[in-house]
Amino acid sequence: IRSTKFIFRVVEDHHDSQWQWSTAFEYIGLNALLAFSCSFMLFVISPAASGSGIPDVKAYLNGVESPIFKNFFTVKTFVAKVIASALGVSSGLAMGKEGPMLHAGSILAVLLGSNKWMLQQMEVAAHWGVYTYNKELRDLVAIGAACGVTTAFKAPVGGVLFAMELATRWRKDLTWRCFLACAIAIVVVRIAITVCDKNCQELKYGSLIFFKQNYPANFEQVWAVMILSVIGGYLGCLFTSFNTWICLVRKKWTKFMWARILEVVCISLFTSIVYYFLPLVGQCRDCRFPGVANCVAGDGVEFHTFAGYHCKAAGEYNDMAVLVFNPQGFKIQALFTAPAGAASEATFSLSTLALYAAIFWFLACVTYGAFIPSGLFTPSLIFGGCLGRCFAKILILMGVPNVDVGMYALLGSAAFLGGLMRMSAAMALILMEMTSSPQQLPFLMLTLVLSKQVGDQFNYGVFEHQMMLKGLAFVGIDENMAKKHKIPAKDVMTHNTRNITLYSTESAKVLEAVLDLHRDMGAFPVTEVPREGQGDQGDFLGMISRKNVNALLEQHGHEAEEIDLREKIEVSPIIIPPNMPLPFIYRIVNAEGFNYVPVIRVHGPLEGVISRQELVDVQNKKLDEHHLKEQIERMAVDIEKGRIIQSMNLTDNIHAAKFKEGAKTLADGAINFLKNPIKATKHFIEEEEDKLDDQQEFFLGETRAGSLRAPGAGGAGAGTGAGSSAGGPSDDTKGAGHGGGNAHWMSIPPPAPSSGSSRALLGPLDSIEEAAVEGGSTRGAAAAGAAAVSEVVPAAAGASSTPVPLHPPPLPVSPEPPLPPHAAAPLMGAFGVSLGAPVQGGSGAGGDNASETTPLTQGINRSS
């Protein structure tokens, strides 16, 4: 309506060069009024509706709990989002509406899932209370987000893939439910467009028009597509870095609501002034369709070209005015469909496209993050379309045959989106479905993968940067980076100390002190009161939530000397050993939605707890190769001190460092290759193999360490759980001993040992090392009805104590003898597989031979 009833009238054809200042003020004033209304609407109804909403939804699907979400999924936020988004897009700002539509779809999903029946079903499905977040509600949010993307782009399959890439937890049944919802959404959209085709002509000027393009598949131009992918990917990651700096600068002077609204008005005034005067530098092109109002037509798509706008000759139009004054939907279609031909027949000149793309890139950087519901999809399509057409025109000037500028406009958008959002599969399907051009899918996949790889060399996606700026503790990092650093659970966990761990019986004063000391903790580990010799580490019982601690205080009073916590303790569904590798911990937390994971070396005393905060800390301090948190903190300090321009660190930021490092690597590699190509190639291959071997040695080494025994150990018991257990019954000692196994990866609590003093310790090598350092020694022990197990005990008075070396040589492996007859009933683990094989030479209590793992058991260990 703004375009047809006002903008087209204000900037109607002028056959002279005289400026009408009243018209300029009218155009600028209307845009500023719409922008102010957009921002003021958020202030009045719901400030939580500002921003695109995608970073917040992604963090919510990841399991993040934050005060931001208190008003994020409410009716007021939905109303504010829809109305303010329409006003913001109409104001001419460089923003899109697809991100807000995703947020709106998520809100509808939560509202529809908030009925009494649905809440009861979700409560039944939430088995583990404090240990996990509400996964069922987050599944609804994912489906709503997929429907929002489907409605925005008319891409149901792309919407499903977008939600799948957005979420860190996905299931098979969620896929078909999401697909069904998206199918219904696209049918409703198509029916609405069909009904409004005759009754609401204004929708023609939006992005709800389906347009089909038959782009050629010129596979001989793959080299050009790859170059475009690199350029677009870097410009996308550069957009993310520059926008991050803009958002940090914005925080300095927008701490008050009136300042945030004033900033939006200033951005609108600047954008409108630039847009109104920008056509002055545009080029006047010959009208290819004289006698019609639009002057230029694509493949069945017409758009306004303002014939004669600041062009003196009759039958001419201003190509810059086409890009500036048309609605967003028609801009995209103009870039994707308008014919090119020779330089004199081209719809847009190269200089016009380059200038508009540069200005639009800057305006979109400044606009995203302001106090408006702004999205990035449409700006990315517009900028990428300009980039692709510029690249295609350069190819034409170079003499490359059969260049389709529309195809390169589409691929330019894909390249920029890949470098900006790092979502390859979803973007490929969305762009393919939006343009109905399946023949371009191979090019789209190639472009998005390459551009994503280019962007990953410099920073993370724009959504990850926004989550970091908002302080959302997102748990997710490249798994290869986690493997590279080889970090076990014991280096991540919060250790079991008295100030965070509660005993099963506590006084009210202790409970109040712990609650006051750890205000940000949602739950606390609970152990038994330590027995003599255990220090502060009692046997682990479970977790108790802050809410339940407060309930017990209210029940027993704040002066109670003794409060039993057992009635409110929630049993842990999973425990992990201290040597579990970090990649497995990420899988557990992200796949099953755990908030707290207890760490126990052997079934008994608690060693520590890993929460989401510990994982976020290790990400930021050890795994983040881009040092994003450090960069943001450093820039924030410089900006706070007034060094705004210096805070960009143009000569010492991540982009400059990566360019220097890449140039040095390429130069060294080229020199070595020129000197001796065969040696250089062999060195590169061996280096990659060494990296792989190191990673394999990490896993196998941990497994082998867990199967070793200290000298003097007797036979080994059977492991209980999903870890590895070493050995089996000896010739002299038979029976299945529980509690003696070593749970390496995922541990299921077995029955407690019959005696607290005879607790088995079949842990990995570091357990023995620690005991040796403390001056302990090992001895064999046989229990009635159980296998002989190794135990670390303090050295008795007068007994000889031979400390175990920290890194003992590997035990010699002798050829395996045939299995004895009594091996027909091997020990069975928790999963019903044979965890042990008989070993000859084992002895009972006090035996001198060390029980070794047979090849059969070693194979099971590795597969487990």
Side-chain angles (χ1 to χ4, degrees):
I1 295 176
R2 165 184 171 270
S3 298
T4 56
K5 305 300 182 183
F6 181 78
I7 299 299
F8 290 169
R9 178 182 60 81
V10 170
V11 294
E12 61 186 356
D13 299 345
H14 297 287
H15 295 284
D16 53 22
S17 59
Q18 297 296 324
W19 281 99
Q20 297 185 6
W21 292 104
S22 60
T23 302
F25 287 126
E26 191 177 357
Y27 171 79
I28 297 171
L30 175 65
N31 288 342
L33 178 62
L34 289 171
F36 171 78
S37 301
C38 167
S39 187
F40 187 74
M41 188 70 64
L42 298 180
F43 168 68
V44 173
I45 302 178
S46 176
S50 63
S52 70
I54 296 181
D56 309 80
V57 171
K58 184 172 184 177
Y60 186 77
L61 293 178
N62 184 254
V64 176
E65 297 290 348
S66 172
I68 294 177
F69 300 129
K70 181 179 181 181
N71 299 315
F72 193 72
F73 297 107
T74 62
V75 177
K76 294 172 62 176
T77 303
F78 176 80
V79 174
K81 198 81 173 185
V82 174
I83 298 177
S85 177
L87 293 172
V89 173
S90 301
S91 66
L93 292 172
M95 57 173 282
K97 56 184 176 292
E98 287 76 15
M101 290 178 74
L102 180 147
H103 183 195
S106 302
I107 296 175
L108 284 179
V110 173
L111 294 179
L112 293 175
S114 298
N115 58 77
K116 185 177 180 181
W117 179 85
M118 185 68 73
L119 291 176
Q120 290 177 348
Q121 298 301 314
M122 288 190 291
E123 185 177 353
V124 171
H127 299 288
W128 298 109
V130 68
Y131 292 96
T132 60
Y133 52 75
N134 192 328
K135 302 183 290 292
E136 286 69 29
L137 183 61
R138 284 167 168 81
D139 290 345
L140 284 178
V141 171
I143 295 175
C147 291
V149 175
T150 298
T151 305
F153 292 105
K154 280 70 65 184
V157 181
V160 175
L161 287 179
F162 190 91
M164 192 179 297
E165 291 196 64
L166 202 65
T168 52
R169 172 182 175 271
W170 200 263
R171 308 189 315 276
K172 286 185 176 180
D173 59 335
L174 186 59
T175 302
W176 72 260
R177 291 175 182 175
C178 190
F179 191 83
L180 175 62
C182 291
I184 297 174
I186 192 63
V187 170
V188 173
V189 170
R190 287 183 176 269
I191 293 175
I193 293 176
T194 303
V195 172
C196 287
D197 187 44
K198 298 179 180 180
N199 303 324
C200 0
Q201 294 295 324
E202 287 79 9
L203 285 182
K204 282 189 174 182
Y205 295 92
S207 59
L208 290 177
I209 299 177
F210 295 88
F211 63 100
K212 299 181 180 180
Q213 291 297 308
N214 295 319
Y215 297 121
N218 298 324
F219 286 97
E220 68 276 6
Q221 298 176 13
V222 171
W223 61 272
V225 174
M226 296 175 67
I227 294 175
L228 177 61
S229 303
V230 173
I231 297 173
Y234 180 71
L235 291 176
C237 75
L238 185 63
F239 181 101
T240 300
S241 297
F242 185 61
N243 176 257
T244 302
W245 178 76
I246 290 289
C247 291
L248 288 172
V249 175
R250 177 178 285 126
K251 285 185 177 181
K252 181 176 177 62
W253 61 64
T254 57
K255 298 179 181 179
F256 303 99
M257 188 60 67
W258 63 267
R260 302 175 70 182
I261 297 176
L262 180 62
E263 181 204 13
V264 172
V265 175
C266 292
I267 293 175
S268 176
L269 291 174
F270 178 75
T271 302
S272 300
I273 292 173
V274 171
Y275 276 1
Y276 193 82
F277 293 100
L278 192 57
L280 275 177
V281 297
Q283 294 191 14
C284 295
R285 322 293 292 178
D286 291 333
C287 185
R288 301 186 60 190
F289 299 92
V292 297
N294 291 326
C295 197
V296 174
D299 293 342
V301 179
E302 296 182 350
F303 44 89
H304 207 91
T305 51
F306 312 102
Y309 184 74
H310 294 293
C311 293
K312 297 180 181 180
E316 290 184 342
Y317 69 94
N318 191 314
D319 60 352
M320 183 67 78
V322 175
L323 297 174
V324 169
F325 296 123
N326 269 298
Q328 292 180 350
F330 277 5
K331 286 182 185 179
I332 297 173
Q333 295 183 46
L335 294 168
F336 284 10
T337 65
S344 59
E345 300 176 354
T347 306
F348 306 104
S349 63
L350 180 60
S351 60
T352 296
L353 289 170
L355 179 61
Y356 179 78
I359 293 177
F360 191 82
W361 185 91
F362 175 79
L363 292 175
C365 272
V366 174
T367 304
Y368 187 70
F371 190 59
I372 51 176
S374 58
L376 277 178
F377 285 103
T378 299
S380 299
L381 294 176
I382 294 174
F383 172 79
C386 293
L387 175 66
R389 288 186 79 99
C390 285
F391 187 78
K393 287 181 177 296
I394 294 175
L395 294 179
I396 293 174
L397 294 176
M398 292 171 56
V400 178
N402 302 323
V403 175
D404 188 282
V405 292
M407 181 193 79
Y408 279 96
L410 175 65
L411 297 179
S413 299
F416 187 73
L417 283 169
L420 183 67
M421 300 182 183
R422 320 291 165 84
M423 305 177 75
S424 303
M427 291 296 106
L429 265 294
I430 287 174
L431 292 175
M432 186 199 73
E433 292 182 279
M434 185 182 71
T435 56
S436 301
S437 54
Q439 67 275 11
Q440 286 300 308
L441 186 58
F443 282 137
L444 289 172
M445 295 169 62
L446 175 64
T447 301
L448 285 161
V449 169
L450 287 179
S451 59
K452 178 185 181 300
Q453 291 300 319
V454 171
D456 287 342
Q457 302 303 314
F458 296 93
N459 55 22
Y460 299 107
V462 65
F463 301 143
E464 284 75 15
H465 279 242
Q466 289 294 317
M467 286 189 289
M468 182 69 74
L469 289 171
K470 294 183 178 182
L472 298 174
F474 181 83
V475 175
I477 199 71
D478 187 4
E479 188 173 311
N480 292 328
M481 189 60 61
K483 291 179 180 178
K484 178 181 177 182
H485 287 79
K486 303 178 183 179
I487 302 175
K490 62 183 179 181
D491 294 338
V492 180
M493 67 183 183
T494 296
H495 290 269
N496 178 16
T497 57
R498 188 65 181 102
N499 65 341
I500 67 167
T501 303
L502 301 175
Y503 293 154
S504 56
T505 303
E506 293 281 10
S507 66
K509 292 182 178 179
V510 171
L511 295 179
E512 290 178 340
V514 172
L515 291 177
D516 185 66
L517 182 62
H518 303 284
R519 297 177 181 272
D520 56 340
M521 289 186 64
F524 304 91
V526 183
T527 67
E528 289 281 13
V529 178
R531 295 184 294 272
E532 184 178 354
Q534 283 188 324
D536 291 337
Q537 296 184 350
D539 291 346
F540 178 67
L541 296 178
M543 302 281 291
I544 185 170
S545 66
R546 175 180 290 269
K547 177 182 178 181
N548 287 334
V549 173
N550 285 321
L552 289 174
L553 285 173
E554 294 295 331
Q555 177 182 349
H556 296 277
H558 294 270
E559 300 297 330
E561 294 294 331
E562 187 173 292
I563 299 178
D564 192 350
L565 306 181
R566 288 184 177 87
E567 58 181 289
K568 295 292 185 179
I569 294 176
E570 299 181 41
V571 180
S572 174
I574 187 173
I575 59 174
I576 61 174
N579 63 331
M580 173 173 277
L582 187 58
F584 284 84
I585 302 175
Y586 275 117
R587 294 175 192 175
I588 292 172
V589 172
N590 284 331
E592 298 301 329
F594 281 98
N595 288 325
Y596 302 96
V597 181
V599 180
I600 298 178
R601 186 179 304 275
V602 182
H603 310 302
L606 176 70
E607 297 240 345
V609 175
I610 295 179
S611 66
R612 296 180 61 89
Q613 188 58 49
E614 279 78 35
L615 293 177
V616 173
D617 290 341
V618 76
Q619 284 177 190
N620 296 333
K621 296 177 181 178
K622 297 183 179 180
L623 303 182
D624 183 7
E625 61 177 347
H626 304 307
H627 309 288
L628 177 58
K629 186 176 179 63
E630 296 177 12
Q631 288 187 68
I632 290 178
E633 291 176 349
R634 183 176 61 179
M635 286 191 295
V637 171
D638 290 339
I639 292 172
E640 194 65 30
K641 294 180 179 179
R643 300 194 298 264
I644 297 179
I645 302 299
Q646 294 86 339
S647 64
M648 298 179 70
N649 298 307
L650 295 176
T651 59
D652 190 29
N653 57 26
I654 187 66
H655 291 265
K658 288 291 183 178
F659 274 120
K660 294 176 182 177
E661 178 184 349
K664 184 178 184 300
T665 302
L666 288 176
D668 294 343
I671 293 173
N672 294 334
F673 187 81
L674 292 175
K675 288 181 178 179
N676 192 331
I678 298 177
K679 183 178 179 181
T681 305
K682 183 179 179 181
H683 175 74
F684 175 78
I685 295 175
E686 290 177 350
E687 184 180 9
E688 294 299 320
E689 289 179 349
D690 290 342
K691 293 179 181 178
L692 185 60
D693 290 342
D694 290 342
Q695 188 59 46
Q696 291 176 341
E697 184 67 24
F698 170 55
F699 287 101
L700 297 177
E702 289 290 320
T703 306
R704 285 199 296 269
S707 63
L708 293 179
R709 296 290 179 278
T720 303
S724 61
S725 74
S730 65
D731 288 343
D732 301 325
T733 306
K734 302 180 179 63
H738 70 75
N742 175 33
H744 264 284
W745 313 117
M746 186 178 298
S747 177
I748 301 174
S754 57
S755 174
S757 61
S758 60
R759 180 174 59 83
L761 182 57
L762 299 180
L765 189 60
D766 53 29
S767 306
I768 303 176
E769 292 173 2
E770 293 170 5
V773 172
E774 294 173 2
S777 64
T778 59
R779 66 176 174 83
V789 297
S790 296
E791 182 184 18
V792 177
V793 298
S800 61
S801 175
T802 303
V804 181
L806 293 181
H807 297 284
L811 297 178
V813 179
S814 59
E816 296 299 326
L819 297 178
H822 65 266
L827 299 177
M828 303 300 291
F831 294 143
V833 298
S834 176
L835 296 180
V839 180
Q840 285 191 344
S843 61
D848 295 328
N849 295 329
S851 176
E852 297 177 0
T853 304
T854 66
L856 171 64
T857 309
Q858 291 176 354
I860 295 177
N861 291 343
R862 296 188 183 97
S863 63
S864 299

